[in-house]
């Protein structure tokens, strides 16, 4: 189990990077109308989630890395398990990328904000 206080905890569970208590997103990943919505600040410690205007445009680089990892994983899995024709690789990769897009988008934002905000145990139990 991933413990509180590690960046991985905040990244995987989409928790506030400073207190690991508040949620980074307001709804579930597959709520198609609201899956990108984030509260302005943490409900627990008050950390602002939009550090500067267009802050999350930098998360595209993280998203790119996640997509490359995904494409590689799908390719290797298909190659090892079925060795299908090339069209199958392309179609399967696109379908998988579309299906998990909300997850990769949210994960990339979560990873990106953790580059800039560190865990601070003083905010663990304190309510602001
Ligand atoms: Zn917080």
């Amino acid at each position: 189990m991933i413990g509180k206080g590690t960046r991985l905890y905040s990244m995987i569970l989409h928790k506030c990077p400073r207190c690991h208590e508040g949620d980074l997103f307001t709804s579930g990943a597959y709520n198609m109308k609201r899956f990108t919505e984030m509260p302005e600040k943490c409900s627990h410690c008050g950390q602002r989630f939009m550090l500067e205007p267009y802050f999350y445009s930098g998360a595209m680089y993280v998203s790119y890395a996640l997509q490359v990892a995904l494409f590689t994983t799908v390719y290797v899995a298909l190659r090892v398990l079925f060795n299908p024709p090339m069209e199958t690789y392309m179609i399967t990769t696109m379908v998988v990328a579309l299906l998990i897009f909300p997850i990769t988008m949210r994960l990339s934002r979560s990873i990106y904000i953790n580059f800039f905000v560190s865990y601070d145990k003083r905010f663990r139990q304190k309510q602001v």
Side-chain angles (χ1 to χ4, degrees):
M1 187 65 191
I2 307 163
K4 277 188 184 177
T6 63
R7 288 187 193 276
L8 203 55
Y9 179 87
S10 169
M11 291 173 185
I12 301 292
L13 297 178
H14 305 314
K15 292 293 183 181
C16 168
R18 185 163 73 172
C19 69
H20 290 185
E21 297 288 340
D23 292 320
L24 277 176
F25 296 95
T26 56
S27 68
Y30 286 99
N31 182 341
M32 285 300 142
K33 288 184 177 174
R34 301 182 56 204
F35 75 95
T36 60
E37 288 180 13
M38 302 174 78
E40 189 177 316
K41 59 185 182 178
C42 175
S43 61
H44 186 79
C45 72
Q47 168 68 45
R48 290 178 54 235
F49 291 150
M50 185 66 82
L51 302 184
E52 59 188 30
Y54 307 108
F55 174 70
Y56 290 105
S57 57
M60 287 188 301
Y61 300 105
V62 178
S63 182
Y64 174 74
L66 292 175
Q67 294 294 330
V68 169
L70 170 73
F71 290 176
T72 305
T73 303
V74 169
Y75 176 81
V76 170
L78 287 176
R79 179 87 184 190
V80 169
L81 295 174
F82 307 110
N83 199 13
M86 184 51 88
E87 299 80 31
T88 306
Y89 290 118
M90 294 167 62
I91 292 168
T92 305
T93 304
M94 284 190 275
V95 168
V96 170
L98 276 175
L99 285 177
I100 69 164
F101 172 73
I103 293 171
T104 53
M105 194 282 301
R106 291 160 64 108
L107 186 60
S108 64
R109 284 187 177 197
S110 186
I111 291 170
Y112 193 66
I113 196 171
N114 269 280
F115 288 155
F116 301 97
V117 181
S118 296
Y119 179 66
D120 189 336
K121 63 184 175 189
R122 290 176 299 170
F123 291 98
R124 190 172 44 201
Q125 299 297 329
K126 197 161 66 177
Q127 195 81 30
V128 175

